[in-house]
Amino acid sequence: MRRQLVAGNWKMHGSLEANSSLLQALVAAAPAACDVAVCVPFPYLAQAQQLLAGSSIALGAQDCSMHEQGAFTGEVSAGMLREFGCGYVIVGHSERRSLHGEGDAAVAAKAERALAAGLIPIVCVGETLQQREQEQTEAVIGLQLDAVAHLLGRHAARIVLAYEPVWAIGTGRSASAAQAQQVHAFMRARLGHRGVDAGSVPMLYGGSVKPDNARELFAQPDIDGGLIGGASLKAADFLGIVDAARSH
Ligand code: 13P
């Protein structure tokens, strides 16, 4: 049985004051029936670690270096994230792929570093609108998955995949539940062909998930929760989405 996970990706949002009220509201609600995580900007890890202490909400970051340590100005290692209580780290988000030129090999190297440091990498995959319109969705996602298949072969239950169609991120235009399910089913089949125990791999959907569409998305057989951007910044919305997950 795969447990559902709802993870918030705050992206570059937040302030000490705003984080404090958001995290206090989440902790007070004490979500328990599904796994919940918040992936915060690096400078706020210590604050979030402190505010989440003793709660069931896990802490995560939004990226890590592909290197263990060394002369990499501006980079943050997976080991450092672990020291601040992180359980998760997002790697290969489409904003990192498109704005920072991260390719599949870099994403795989980051996921490997995360695993070595004892973190669960949340590996993002997804197609652009142009790729979807040109019917390249499966080809694109297939290659993105192949890059991490060797890691999934060894750690199927210790890596989370997130399908985030680029055209659905921050646009208010979510994939329909049927579209998302179709890609998730393809992902499981593809990994199965690569020798991965695909039924054990948690797979999230991300892209304009809101309280009013979460239930239908999470009800799909191959969708195990969500990676939430904008709606993770408002306690009521995020808790509404968590609620949709826990009811399965
Ligand atoms: P939105 O929920 O704001 O569309 O963002 C999704 C996302 O990119 C999460 O990683």
Side-chain angles (χ1 to χ4, degrees), residues 9 11 93 95 164 168-170 207-209 227-230:
N9 173 9
K11 307 193 180 184
H93 191 279
E95 288 150 16
E164 297 208 312
I169 294 176
S208 297
V209 179
L227 184 56
I228 319 301

PDB file of all heavy atoms in Angstrom, residues 9 11 93 95 164 168-170 207-209 227-230, ligand 1:
ATOM      1  N   ASN A   9       5.313  23.131  -2.066  1.00  0.00           N
ATOM      2  CA  ASN A   9       6.536  23.733  -2.608  1.00  0.00           C
ATOM      3  C   ASN A   9       6.335  25.245  -2.553  1.00  0.00           C
ATOM      4  O   ASN A   9       5.621  25.799  -3.375  1.00  0.00           O
ATOM      5  CB  ASN A   9       6.754  23.256  -4.054  1.00  0.00           C
ATOM      6  CG  ASN A   9       7.914  23.973  -4.715  1.00  0.00           C
ATOM      7  OD1 ASN A   9       8.669  24.698  -4.059  1.00  0.00           O
ATOM      8  ND2 ASN A   9       8.066  23.774  -6.027  1.00  0.00           N
ATOM      9  N   LYS A  11       8.312  27.523  -3.202  1.00  0.00           N
ATOM     10  CA  LYS A  11       9.104  28.276  -4.194  1.00  0.00           C
ATOM     11  C   LYS A  11       9.760  29.469  -3.486  1.00  0.00           C
ATOM     12  O   LYS A  11      10.092  29.354  -2.306  1.00  0.00           O
ATOM     13  CB  LYS A  11       8.240  28.676  -5.387  1.00  0.00           C
ATOM     14  CG  LYS A  11       7.509  27.444  -5.971  1.00  0.00           C
ATOM     15  CD  LYS A  11       6.882  27.665  -7.306  1.00  0.00           C
ATOM     16  CE  LYS A  11       6.197  26.381  -7.757  1.00  0.00           C
ATOM     17  NZ  LYS A  11       5.639  26.468  -9.102  1.00  0.00           N
ATOM     18  N   HIS A  93      12.784  20.132 -10.513  1.00  0.00           N
ATOM     19  CA  HIS A  93      11.567  20.909 -10.776  1.00  0.00           C
ATOM     20  C   HIS A  93      11.700  21.586 -12.142  1.00  0.00           C
ATOM     21  O   HIS A  93      12.799  22.005 -12.529  1.00  0.00           O
ATOM     22  CB  HIS A  93      11.352  21.944  -9.679  1.00  0.00           C
ATOM     23  CG  HIS A  93      10.006  22.576  -9.761  1.00  0.00           C
ATOM     24  ND1 HIS A  93       9.730  23.598 -10.643  1.00  0.00           N
ATOM     25  CD2 HIS A  93       8.849  22.306  -9.123  1.00  0.00           C
ATOM     26  CE1 HIS A  93       8.449  23.935 -10.523  1.00  0.00           C
ATOM     27  NE2 HIS A  93       7.896  23.166  -9.610  1.00  0.00           N
ATOM     28  N   GLU A  95      11.083  24.438 -13.086  1.00  0.00           N
ATOM     29  CA  GLU A  95      11.667  25.788 -13.041  1.00  0.00           C
ATOM     30  C   GLU A  95      13.187  25.712 -12.970  1.00  0.00           C
ATOM     31  O   GLU A  95      13.883  26.582 -13.486  1.00  0.00           O
ATOM     32  CB  GLU A  95      11.063  26.575 -11.864  1.00  0.00           C
ATOM     33  CG  GLU A  95       9.615  26.958 -12.167  1.00  0.00           C
ATOM     34  CD  GLU A  95       8.701  27.083 -10.971  1.00  0.00           C
ATOM     35  OE1 GLU A  95       9.187  27.178  -9.827  1.00  0.00           O
ATOM     36  OE2 GLU A  95       7.464  27.069 -11.175  1.00  0.00           O
ATOM     37  N   GLU A 164       4.511  16.833 -13.139  1.00  0.00           N
ATOM     38  CA  GLU A 164       4.060  18.221 -13.168  1.00  0.00           C
ATOM     39  C   GLU A 164       4.093  18.716 -14.610  1.00  0.00           C
ATOM     40  O   GLU A 164       5.156  19.150 -15.094  1.00  0.00           O
ATOM     41  CB  GLU A 164       4.984  19.095 -12.308  1.00  0.00           C
ATOM     42  CG  GLU A 164       4.987  18.723 -10.840  1.00  0.00           C
ATOM     43  CD  GLU A 164       5.317  19.921  -9.956  1.00  0.00           C
ATOM     44  OE1 GLU A 164       6.297  20.633 -10.241  1.00  0.00           O
ATOM     45  OE2 GLU A 164       4.576  20.152  -9.006  1.00  0.00           O
ATOM     46  N   ALA A 168       0.625  23.336 -16.690  1.00  0.00           N
ATOM     47  CA  ALA A 168      -0.357  23.404 -15.595  1.00  0.00           C
ATOM     48  C   ALA A 168       0.198  24.107 -14.366  1.00  0.00           C
ATOM     49  O   ALA A 168      -0.528  24.350 -13.407  1.00  0.00           O
ATOM     50  CB  ALA A 168      -0.804  21.992 -15.215  1.00  0.00           C
ATOM     51  N   ILE A 169       1.495  24.442 -14.388  1.00  0.00           N
ATOM     52  CA  ILE A 169       2.131  25.007 -13.198  1.00  0.00           C
ATOM     53  C   ILE A 169       1.877  26.499 -13.122  1.00  0.00           C
ATOM     54  O   ILE A 169       2.270  27.250 -14.022  1.00  0.00           O
ATOM     55  CB  ILE A 169       3.655  24.730 -13.206  1.00  0.00           C
ATOM     56  CG1 ILE A 169       3.913  23.223 -13.083  1.00  0.00           C
ATOM     57  CG2 ILE A 169       4.346  25.501 -12.090  1.00  0.00           C
ATOM     58  CD1 ILE A 169       5.374  22.833 -13.173  1.00  0.00           C
ATOM     59  N   GLY A 170       1.194  26.916 -12.072  1.00  0.00           N
ATOM     60  CA  GLY A 170       0.968  28.334 -11.831  1.00  0.00           C
ATOM     61  C   GLY A 170       0.031  28.984 -12.830  1.00  0.00           C
ATOM     62  O   GLY A 170      -0.075  30.208 -12.883  1.00  0.00           O
ATOM     63  N   GLY A 207       0.517  20.814 -10.277  1.00  0.00           N
ATOM     64  CA  GLY A 207       0.129  21.749 -11.341  1.00  0.00           C
ATOM     65  C   GLY A 207      -1.277  22.245 -11.095  1.00  0.00           C
ATOM     66  O   GLY A 207      -2.243  21.551 -11.417  1.00  0.00           O
ATOM     67  N   SER A 208      -1.380  23.428 -10.443  1.00  0.00           N
ATOM     68  CA  SER A 208      -2.684  24.056 -10.175  1.00  0.00           C
ATOM     69  C   SER A 208      -3.627  23.151  -9.380  1.00  0.00           C
ATOM     70  O   SER A 208      -4.831  23.136  -9.631  1.00  0.00           O
ATOM     71  CB  SER A 208      -3.343  24.520 -11.483  1.00  0.00           C
ATOM     72  OG  SER A 208      -2.538  25.510 -12.106  1.00  0.00           O
ATOM     73  N   VAL A 209      -3.064  22.415  -8.418  1.00  0.00           N
ATOM     74  CA  VAL A 209      -3.934  21.648  -7.508  1.00  0.00           C
ATOM     75  C   VAL A 209      -4.529  22.628  -6.492  1.00  0.00           C
ATOM     76  O   VAL A 209      -3.816  23.448  -5.911  1.00  0.00           O
ATOM     77  CB  VAL A 209      -3.163  20.534  -6.766  1.00  0.00           C
ATOM     78  CG1 VAL A 209      -4.093  19.787  -5.816  1.00  0.00           C
ATOM     79  CG2 VAL A 209      -2.509  19.572  -7.750  1.00  0.00           C
ATOM     80  N   LEU A 227       1.953  17.628  -5.301  1.00  0.00           N
ATOM     81  CA  LEU A 227       3.002  18.605  -5.037  1.00  0.00           C
ATOM     82  C   LEU A 227       2.370  19.970  -5.333  1.00  0.00           C
ATOM     83  O   LEU A 227       1.974  20.241  -6.466  1.00  0.00           O
ATOM     84  CB  LEU A 227       4.220  18.337  -5.928  1.00  0.00           C
ATOM     85  CG  LEU A 227       5.452  19.230  -5.702  1.00  0.00           C
ATOM     86  CD1 LEU A 227       5.933  19.171  -4.261  1.00  0.00           C
ATOM     87  CD2 LEU A 227       6.594  18.786  -6.628  1.00  0.00           C
ATOM     88  N   ILE A 228       2.261  20.772  -4.297  1.00  0.00           N
ATOM     89  CA  ILE A 228       1.380  21.940  -4.339  1.00  0.00           C
ATOM     90  C   ILE A 228       2.195  23.223  -4.300  1.00  0.00           C
ATOM     91  O   ILE A 228       2.968  23.434  -3.354  1.00  0.00           O
ATOM     92  CB  ILE A 228       0.418  21.935  -3.108  1.00  0.00           C
ATOM     93  CG1 ILE A 228      -0.128  20.525  -2.807  1.00  0.00           C
ATOM     94  CG2 ILE A 228      -0.696  22.953  -3.301  1.00  0.00           C
ATOM     95  CD1 ILE A 228      -0.888  19.880  -3.939  1.00  0.00           C
ATOM     96  N   GLY A 229       2.012  24.090  -5.273  1.00  0.00           N
ATOM     97  CA  GLY A 229       2.706  25.372  -5.304  1.00  0.00           C
ATOM     98  C   GLY A 229       1.885  26.441  -4.611  1.00  0.00           C
ATOM     99  O   GLY A 229       1.813  26.508  -3.383  1.00  0.00           O
ATOM    100  N   GLY A 230       1.232  27.271  -5.401  1.00  0.00           N
ATOM    101  CA  GLY A 230       0.517  28.442  -4.875  1.00  0.00           C
ATOM    102  C   GLY A 230      -0.402  28.142  -3.700  1.00  0.00           C
ATOM    103  O   GLY A 230      -0.427  28.887  -2.710  1.00  0.00           O
TER     104      GLY A 230
HETATM  105  P1  13P B   1       1.130  25.478  -8.671  1.00  0.00           P
HETATM  106  O1  13P B   1       0.400  24.579  -7.689  1.00  0.00           O
HETATM  107  O2  13P B   1       1.256  26.885  -8.199  1.00  0.00           O
HETATM  108  O3  13P B   1       0.595  25.336 -10.052  1.00  0.00           O
HETATM  109  O4  13P B   1       2.657  24.943  -8.718  1.00  0.00           O
HETATM  110  C1  13P B   1       2.896  23.599  -8.899  1.00  0.00           C
HETATM  111  C2  13P B   1       4.318  23.329  -8.677  1.00  0.00           C
HETATM  112  O5  13P B   1       5.175  23.737  -9.449  1.00  0.00           O
HETATM  113  C3  13P B   1       4.697  22.573  -7.464  1.00  0.00           C
HETATM  114  O6  13P B   1       6.024  22.166  -7.503  1.00  0.00           O
END
